[in-house]
Amino acid sequence: MNTALSEPKTLGSDDPVGRLRLLSRLTAAFLLDTVAIVRGDDGHLIDTLLLSAATQANIADIIRQPELQAAFADAVPPDEMRRPVSINALAASLSMPFETVRRRIAGLVRDGHCVLVEGGVVVPSKVLSDPRYYADAFRGYERLRAFYYQLGDQHLLGPLPAAEADLSHGVFPIRAVSRIAGAYVLRVVELLATFGSVPDSIITMEVFRSNTEHLAHSARGGPGFDDMVGDEHRAPISVGALARRVGMPPETVRRHAARLEEVGVLVRVDGGLIVPSRFLARPLLRRKLVANAGNLQRMFASLARLGVLEVWDNLPVIEAEAAGRAA
């Protein structure tokens, strides 16, 4: 396959707007599943995002260099290669109040998830070497692989750059993929921050996902941005079900949902909440969808340069050969 996401204007001459809408639905599901995997059954959403942001900042130099990514494709970089990140920088990257971030980081330090050093916060290698972290990284790896195949099946992908790094034979680049995917997720969080707090953004995205996950991929609305799937076709979600999906207390979700209703992001209908089409047609959101498509292309380009997509494209052949040997 060896493909990459096209820019929105080249998503297809037949129905570029509809394809962009489909892309937004598939992306929302991938993002929410990824956040849920990292958060786990009892993790706090804000803590999860803070640790992810700190981890990404610590290894930013590695992420930018394909040869280092390949060297640590399935290994944890040592602490001496990690660059501390300030609490102020973390707060800015997630559009969160400094005092909230300082308080949450203090709790994470107390619980042993990160350390404070000169220059800021570091998530040490001993934390990232925990088997539970690796298990989550593998689940995230498989979810991204499924997303890649899904985009290819829907013809939402275009040509990708050639591999620039040579992965060792038999190495599954789970940790490298986790780093690349984590960087993409955080870019999306930054994009959505203009609509409110991080919980607001996650709640809105989950309502949108729940409203539309029953729709067939062919259900894309009309050719214009204002001609989208009607609200009557969106499946509402109750506050209780929403709280379970995002892993937040029902009262917290209820409070955020009420504020989002006040500003028109959510609408309460019979059966629960929906993200109405009038909000989805806003020019600002339209620009966010276009920007997200560009971020997706960068993520898949990084995976291609690292040689990950070459591994994924050859997996059916590898699995078939393994089955033949077993027979």
Side-chain angles (χ1 to χ4, degrees):
M1 186 184 288
N2 200 20
T3 48
L5 188 68
S6 303
E7 291 293 341
K9 63 184 180 181
T10 62
L11 280 173
S13 58
D14 56 334
D15 183 16
V17 174
R19 291 163 68 81
L20 189 58
R21 291 195 191 110
L22 174 58
L23 178 65
S24 70
R25 299 206 300 262
L26 298 178
T27 300
F30 164 71
L31 287 167
L32 290 164
D33 287 348
T34 301
V35 170
I37 288 169
V38 178
R39 189 187 71 239
D41 295 331
D42 55 0
H44 190 285
L45 174 64
I46 300 302
D47 289 350
T48 296
L49 292 174
L50 282 173
L51 284 173
S52 296
T55 301
Q56 292 297 317
N58 292 163
I59 56 173
D61 292 338
I62 294 174
I63 294 174
R64 285 192 288 266
Q65 301 181 59
E67 65 277 9
L68 286 179
Q69 279 279 50
F72 295 103
D74 200 25
V76 179
D79 288 347
E80 55 266 27
M81 296 184 70
R82 299 180 186 279
R83 185 180 64 191
V85 58
S86 70
I87 292 177
N88 190 56
L90 286 175
S93 69
L94 294 174
S95 299
M96 292 174 56
F98 174 86
E99 186 54 34
T100 299
V101 173
R102 187 201 64 77
R103 187 177 68 252
R104 302 300 310 187
I105 288 294
L108 289 167
V109 170
R110 184 179 60 249
D111 294 338
H113 297 295
C114 57
V115 296
L116 287 175
V117 300
E118 184 179 356
V121 181
V122 169
V123 181
S125 58
K126 67 178 181 181
V127 171
L128 301 172
S129 299
D130 188 295
R132 291 171 297 181
Y133 180 88
Y134 189 81
D136 289 343
F138 177 75
R139 291 175 62 203
Y141 175 91
E142 288 295 280
R143 182 61 181 89
L144 180 55
R145 183 163 71 99
F147 183 45
Y148 169 63
Y149 294 151
Q150 193 176 36
L151 293 177
D153 289 344
Q154 294 301 314
H155 307 292
L156 296 174
L157 305 174
L160 264 177
E164 298 175 3
D166 184 19
L167 292 174
S168 299
H169 181 70
V171 170
F172 281 83
I174 292 171
R175 293 188 186 274
V177 169
S178 179
R179 292 191 286 266
I180 292 171
Y184 166 69
V185 170
L186 290 172
R187 280 196 293 268
V188 174
V189 171
E190 291 177 15
L191 267 179
L192 295 176
T194 52
F195 295 120
S197 66
V198 169
D200 284 347
S201 300
I202 296 296
I203 287 170
T204 301
M205 198 184 307
E206 183 56 71
V207 173
F208 171 74
R209 193 253 293 262
S210 300
N211 292 166
T212 58
E213 63 186 347
H214 67 287
L215 297 175
H217 290 154
S218 58
R220 304 176 184 178
F225 265 104
D226 296 329
D227 305 323
M228 59 186 61
V229 174
D231 290 351
E232 68 275 12
H233 299 297
R234 301 180 189 278
I237 182 172
S238 68
V239 169
L242 180 59
R244 288 191 294 274
R245 282 201 158 197
V246 298
M248 297 168 63
E251 278 309 309
T252 300
V253 172
R254 197 181 311 277
R255 185 174 67 252
H256 282 280
R259 195 198 72 79
L260 291 167
E261 285 183 71
E262 289 177 1
V263 297
V265 175
L266 299 182
V267 169
R268 187 173 297 277
V269 299
D270 186 25
L273 298 165
I274 65 169
V275 180
S277 56
R278 65 172 179 267
F279 171 75
L280 296 170
R282 290 182 182 181
L284 177 60
L285 184 59
R286 195 179 310 169
R287 291 194 293 272
K288 299 295 182 184
L289 294 180
V290 171
N292 172 64
N295 286 335
L296 267 178
Q297 176 153 349
R298 282 192 288 275
M299 177 177 70
F300 282 112
S302 295
L303 292 167
R305 283 191 289 270
L306 185 58
V308 173
L309 300 189
E310 188 173 43
V311 172
W312 289 353
D313 290 338
N314 290 326
L315 275 179
V317 175
I318 294 171
E319 290 166 356
E321 289 176 348
R325 287 193 298 271

